[in-house]
Amino acid sequence: MSFGAVLAVLASCASEPTQLPLGTSRGEALQRLGQPTAVYPLPGGGERLQYSRAPAGFEVNDVDLDAAGRVVAIRQVLDDRAFDRDIQPGIGVWREADVLRTYGRPLEVTRVSSFDGVVWSWHYKSMNTRRLLYIYIDPQGAVARYHTGDDLEFERLPR
């Protein structure tokens, strides 16, 4: 491998949130990862630095800092193994702000005739298969339900 290729690999690791060591300071995290796509306050005085690769990408990485500004958790959240644990449908349980704080801005916001509200969607990959996460938000801003489905965007393109 050439010296330039080694530098490119090292640079890509430096900007990969999941490679950031726990305990890293906020300043060092920003230096290594760059500006986040969003910043959200967390309970207890901490904050979340969110790094989304949307709309073209398939990952959203949440980097959680404690009140002292140290990294305490890093997680790639667009993972169908975690949706049941993370998404909390029900009257007033999970709201738009919770969805944004976890997944960031959606790829698309649409409406469907069978639901009185909006449907937010995100691209993600499951075992290298393109998928979509759909979260249904009622008119009061509460999450009513969610489901996943195949992303058929490339199937619709003329061949």
Side-chain angles (χ1 to χ4, degrees), residues 6-124:
V6 169
L7 285 179
V9 167
L10 290 174
S12 70
C13 289
S15 64
E16 173 57 41
T18 59
Q19 300 301 314
L20 196 64
L22 296 180
T24 300
S25 71
R26 184 184 196 281
E28 186 179 344
L30 291 173
Q31 182 179 12
R32 290 180 67 176
L33 302 176
Q35 288 302 310
T37 53
V39 177
Y40 299 99
L42 293 175
E47 72 179 339
R48 173 166 290 158
L49 307 178
Q50 193 170 74
Y51 292 88
S52 174
R53 295 200 168 105
F58 301 93
E59 292 182 2
V60 174
N61 289 281
D62 288 345
V63 177
D64 291 350
L65 307 174
D66 62 15
R70 296 278 175 190
V71 174
V72 293
I74 303 163
R75 195 163 69 103
Q76 197 294 103
V77 295
L78 289 176
D79 182 343
D80 56 8
R81 296 170 296 185
F83 294 152
D84 281 341
R85 179 188 67 227
D86 294 342
I87 302 171
Q88 300 173 29
I91 299 173
V93 176
W94 230 42
R95 307 200 52 80
E96 284 181 0
D98 299 304
V99 176
L100 287 171
R101 187 174 41 256
T102 303
Y103 300 114
R105 294 196 144 314
L107 167 72
E108 184 176 52
V109 177
T110 58
R111 291 188 174 275
V112 294
S113 62
S114 61
F115 178 71
D116 182 22
V118 293
V119 182
W120 293 9
S121 60
W122 292 260
H123 285 295
Y124 74 99

Side-chain angles (χ1 to χ4, degrees), residues 80 82-85 87-89 133-136 143-148:
D80 56 8
F83 294 152
D84 281 341
R85 179 188 67 227
I87 302 171
Q88 300 173 29
L133 167 64
Y134 300 97
I135 297 180
Y136 292 70
V143 172
R145 67 180 184 268
Y146 84 93
H147 72 86
T148 61

